[in-house]
């Protein structure tokens, strides 16, 4: 018995809980829907981890946390910093970290250098990359070298400057064929699952029916093998909500009410009150 086992206070028959793996998620094709949300920080990750199978540290953090106009300005160092926070606060979900714009497109070698840094420095077990048609070679290169890859087709936010904005895809025959090809080649190259974002509903259904890996929909279809949203969007943190988001909370109103009440208390010298202050200890 190793010293590690001796120092463990758990009863001998208790199975240690383990994180879901990319293989577990791949095995859910056509089965129980895969529940995914984003998280970029420790407190959010700890709550998401209680309910979800996958936590995505998405490069959407550039817009949601850092106030950038798109995901194009996000760096690998930002992804690694947020990825570390999410890993510290989660223990059950598979954590997937986005490779940001500019960190993987130049060559499979560049992608491997970025992906291996992400996995080694954060301890996360998988990366996601936006997988246009050109990306199959890179996906294969990564998977063969031990990097589990989640693909991402349809609306690809990192391509916003070519697409001319964030608009739904796959609504013409030409676009449908292109997106189906991207999905098939990404999965044939070894991706364990694939995000399908902002596409016509029946195209998402067709992709889900035709590829062997689970599809994770966002603005896609309830027929996908799983769903993902940006947590802050579904919590209602922003004034504007995209069409494909259902608001499950009204966090902006809750924060504004609480912060407004605090501001009023401070201005009226009603905070701190007795319950929040320290007094001299009574002498013995
Ligand atoms: O960056 C992100 O959060 C994403 C999801 C919305 C799929 O890519």
């Amino acid at each position: 018995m190793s010293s590690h086992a001796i120092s463990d206070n758990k009863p001998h028959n208790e199975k240690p809980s383990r994180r879901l793996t990319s293989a577990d998620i791949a095995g859910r094709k056509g089965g129980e829907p895969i529940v995914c949300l984003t998280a970029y920080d420790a407190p959010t990750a700890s709550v998401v981890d209680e309910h979800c199978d996958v936590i995505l540290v998405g490069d959407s953090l550039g817009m949601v946390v850092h106030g950038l106009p798109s995901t194009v300005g996000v760096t690998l160092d930002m992804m690694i910093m947020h990825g570390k926070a999410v890993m510290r606060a989660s223990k059950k979900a598979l954590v997937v970290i986005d490779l940001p714009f500019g960190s993987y497109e130049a060559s499979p070698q560049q992608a491997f250098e970025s992906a291996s840094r992400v996995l080694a420095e954060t301890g996360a077990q998988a990366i996601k990359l936006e997988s246009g048609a050109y990306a199959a070679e890179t996906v294969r290169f990564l998977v063969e070298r031990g990097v589990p890859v989640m693909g991402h087709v349809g609306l690809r936010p990192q391509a916003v400057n070519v697409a001319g904005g964030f608009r739904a895809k796959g609504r013409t025959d030409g676009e449908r064929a292109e997106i189906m090809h991207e999905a098939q080649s990404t999965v044939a190259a070894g991706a364990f699952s694939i995000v399908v974002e902002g596409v016509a509903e029946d195209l998402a259904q067709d992709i889900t029916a035709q590829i062997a890996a689970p599809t994770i929909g966002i603005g896609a279809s309830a027929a996908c093998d799983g769903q993902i949203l940006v947590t802050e969007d579904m919590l209602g943190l922003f004034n504007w909500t995209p069409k494909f988001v259902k608001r499950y909370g009204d966090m902006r109103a809750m924060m504004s009410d609480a912060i407004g009440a605090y501001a009023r208390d401070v201005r009226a010298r009603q905070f701190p009150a007795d319950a929040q202050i320290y007094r001299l200890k009574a002498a013995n």
Side-chain angles (χ1 to χ4, degrees), residues 4-271:
H4 192 103
I6 292 166
S7 66
D8 185 350
N9 287 332
K10 283 187 184 146
H12 289 292
N13 57 0
E14 192 184 316
K15 203 171 167 198
S17 69
R18 70 165 182 89
R19 279 185 192 274
L20 289 173
T21 64
S22 58
D24 294 327
I25 298 303
R28 299 265 290 268
K29 177 72 188 173
E32 186 194 347
I34 302 161
V35 184
C36 320
L37 279 175
T38 59
Y40 320 122
D41 59 69
T44 308
S46 72
V47 181
V48 172
D49 192 51
E50 289 171 20
H51 302 279
C52 293
D53 304 307
V54 174
I55 303 177
L56 173 68
V57 185
D59 62 351
S60 52
L61 65 83
M63 300 166 84
V64 174
V65 178
H66 296 272
L68 293 169
S70 77
T71 57
V72 172
V74 175
T75 65
L76 198 58
D77 286 339
M78 286 161 80
M79 297 309 301
I80 289 173
M81 184 191 73
H82 288 280
K84 282 179 178 171
V86 167
M87 284 299 292
R88 279 183 211 117
S90 61
K91 50 180 188 287
K92 293 187 332 210
L94 171 70
V95 174
V96 180
I97 301 185
D98 259 338
L99 290 190
F101 181 67
S103 73
Y104 64 95
E105 302 90 331
S107 65
Q109 285 77 6
Q110 184 206 23
F112 184 74
E113 275 162 30
S114 298
S116 56
R117 254 196 83 191
V118 166
L119 298 195
E121 293 183 32
T122 66
Q125 313 96 316
I127 60 95
K128 175 166 85 58
L129 52 77
E130 294 188 10
S131 45
Y134 74 93
E137 188 195 350
T138 294
V139 173
R140 180 165 290 110
F141 191 90
L142 292 179
V143 175
E144 282 173 350
R145 284 158 183 77
V147 179
V149 177
M150 179 180 271
H152 184 154
V153 300
L155 192 167
R156 290 186 282 117
Q158 292 175 9
V160 62
N161 291 322
V162 171
F166 300 105
R167 57 171 192 86
K169 293 278 197 163
R171 300 170 94 179
T172 62
D173 287 345
E175 264 186 19
R176 290 173 78 87
E178 194 183 319
I179 294 168
M180 178 62 85
H181 172 68
E182 288 171 8
Q184 283 172 333
S185 56
T186 300
V187 172
F192 71 89
S193 97
I194 186 161
V195 168
V196 179
E197 177 166 359
V199 301
E201 203 266 345
D202 60 328
L203 174 61
Q205 281 187 32
D206 286 354
I207 294 173
T208 302
Q210 289 187 32
I211 65 169
T215 53
I216 309 294
I218 173 166
S221 168
C224 289
D225 299 295
Q227 300 295 328
I228 186 160
L229 284 174
V230 168
T231 300
E232 287 76 358
D233 278 344
M234 58 81 82
L235 289 177
L237 184 60
F238 302 109
N239 285 329
W240 180 75
T241 310
K243 173 180 165 65
F244 58 83
V245 174
K246 178 171 172 185
R247 285 172 78 115
Y248 286 85
D250 198 352
M251 198 171 159
R252 189 172 188 90
M254 198 204 80
M255 283 175 73
S256 182
D257 287 351
I259 293 168
Y262 165 77
R264 280 190 298 279
D265 277 359
V266 170
R267 292 193 177 105
R269 296 202 184 283
Q270 284 178 356
F271 176 83

